[in-house]
Amino acid sequence: MDARFPALARMERQAAAYVEAMRIIQQWMLPSDTRALGELMPELLEEVREQIADNLVRAGIN
């Protein structure tokens, strides 16, 4: 509750990037898929891998 507006705005951008990553991931992975994302990534087109990775980095997930 002590976050100030700049921190809240940063968190909003991070959340939006995570949502975008999930939107892309859901096109390639089903909820019932037992593979980890890291196992799926090599099978994806390079452009798709980059989009997912870029969004996860922007979301603060390494």
Side-chain angles (χ1 to χ4, degrees):
M1 293 293 189
D2 60 348
R4 292 186 172 40
F5 190 85
L8 294 169
R10 178 181 40 80
M11 288 183 262
E12 179 183 32
R13 289 188 301 274
Q14 288 176 304
Y18 180 77
V19 168
E20 179 60 15
M22 279 303 297
R23 186 192 67 75
I24 298 166
I25 291 166
Q26 288 172 339
Q27 294 176 28
W28 299 93
M29 203 175 195
L30 297 173
S32 59
D33 204 323
T34 59
R35 296 174 293 176
L37 179 59
E39 295 172 307
L40 174 68
M41 290 289 271
E43 300 173 20
L44 301 176
L45 300 170
E46 183 177 355
E47 178 182 325
V48 174
R49 287 193 311 264
E50 289 175 1
Q51 289 173 355
I52 292 170
D54 288 348
N55 278 292
L56 290 178
V57 167
R58 282 197 308 248
I61 300 169
N62 300 325

